Amino acid sequence: MAFFEGIKMTGGYGDGPDIISSCNINANRGEIVAILGPNGAGKSTAMKAMLGLLTLKSGSVCLDGEDISKMSPQDRVKKGISFVPQTKNVFAELTVRENLEIGGFLREDGLEEMINNIYELFPILKEKQSQIVGQLSGGQRQQVALGRALMSEPSVLMLDEPTAGVSPIVMDELFEHIIKVKKTNVAIIMVEQNAKQALNISDRGYVLVTGKNKFEGSGDQLLKDPEVRRSFLGG
């Protein structure tokens, strides 16, 4: 049994059609798992289902052997699941440090120590700690979003399109930071459009098509799979 897993998840939004169908996603601590696929494949929906933002019609979500399918998103966060959405993932009008402090609102102690840990992980944030986040570059803002999500010391970090809208150089830097986070023994699940680059840093990956698991395997296996290459990696 994996540390964090969505098992045969089926569901959609409201009374609409199912977006995901019998979808399986799992991740262990100290592992990066990528969710890939074309637009509309259900990638973000699968992640939201695991976070509790989508009510499943069937299937379950388990964390460290416990069924958390009926828990609210807030209770899942308290259990150690942290989520960085693609947009609106920072407080742009506040400083870097204030964003980190808000990320640590659930902490009862050790706030200063954790902020210093984040500064070690993302040195630019220490340098810019008094700067308004809205004045930072896109890559720096994403580091703030990652740092804020880590302030609660989660066991699971979920990232929705972490490199959306940044340059290739910044994308590489962000992926390097995600690898650093993985080394802190966090289970990382990320939805990513930059499939090749994501698979290069991922331990495992899932390719979804119309809400169903189409391919899965190690990052290396998926990169070398002829059908995956032809259909999803541009040759």
Side-chain angles (χ1 to χ4, degrees):
M1 180 178 282
F3 180 74
F4 184 47
E5 53 188 342
I7 306 159
K8 295 185 177 178
M9 299 182 294
T10 297
Y13 300 100
D15 296 325
D18 292 339
I19 308 295
I20 52 173
S21 180
S22 294
C23 179
N24 295 299
I25 305 285
N26 69 61
N28 287 302
R29 298 191 74 155
E31 183 177 51
I32 298 173
V33 173
I35 306 177
L36 312 170
N39 287 334
K43 304 183 298 294
S44 294
T45 299
M47 181 178 281
K48 287 173 182 174
M50 296 179 79
L51 189 65
L53 295 173
L54 175 84
T55 302
L56 292 173
K57 291 181 182 175
S58 62
S60 60
V61 180
C62 294
L63 177 67
D64 199 15
E66 179 185 358
D67 190 329
I68 61 170
S69 306
K70 304 298 184 188
M71 282 188 184
S72 68
Q74 294 87 342
D75 286 338
R76 296 187 201 203
V77 169
K78 290 176 184 174
K79 280 281 185 183
I81 301 171
S82 203
F83 175 58
V84 180
Q86 181 180 343
T87 58
K88 297 181 180 176
N89 54 22
V90 292
F91 294 98
E93 70 282 3
L94 301 179
T95 66
V96 168
R97 185 185 168 90
E98 286 168 340
N99 269 268
L100 297 181
E101 288 173 348
I102 289 171
F105 77 98
L106 286 175
R107 301 187 66 88
E108 294 179 0
D109 54 31
L111 181 70
E112 203 62 39
E113 181 183 357
M114 195 61 206
I115 287 175
N116 287 329
N117 289 344
I118 299 300
Y119 288 158
E120 281 186 31
L121 205 55
F122 308 110
I124 192 68
L125 300 189
K126 183 173 185 179
E127 187 182 318
K128 305 273 188 181
Q129 61 183 295
S130 300
Q131 193 162 335
I132 299 296
V133 170
Q135 300 170 351
L136 300 178
S137 69
Q140 290 167 355
R141 287 169 69 133
Q142 283 296 77
Q143 289 182 56
V144 174
L146 286 169
R148 191 164 69 87
L150 292 170
M151 281 296 297
S152 60
E153 293 186 85
S155 55
V156 177
L157 179 63
M158 307 184 80
L159 308 173
D160 193 5
E161 303 281 5
T163 67
V166 302
S167 69
I169 291 174
V170 173
M171 177 179 65
D172 290 343
E173 288 176 2
L174 285 171
F175 279 149
E176 285 174 14
H177 286 303
I178 290 168
I179 292 169
K180 280 192 211 171
V181 174
K182 163 193 162 171
K183 290 177 180 174
T184 66
N185 202 33
V186 175
I188 299 173
I189 298 178
M190 65 177 179
V191 168
E192 186 53 67
Q193 287 285 5
N194 296 296
K196 273 186 188 174
Q197 294 88 340
L199 288 174
N200 273 322
I201 70 159
S202 296
D203 296 281
R204 292 186 297 109
Y206 295 89
V207 179
L208 303 187
V209 176
T210 60
K212 298 182 176 73
N213 292 71
K214 178 76 172 175
F215 302 97
E216 60 184 86
S218 71
D220 194 48
Q221 284 171 334
L222 292 175
L223 280 169
K224 291 176 178 174
D225 185 297
E227 193 174 347
V228 172
R229 289 176 64 86
R230 185 172 61 251
S231 301
F232 305 102
L233 304 179

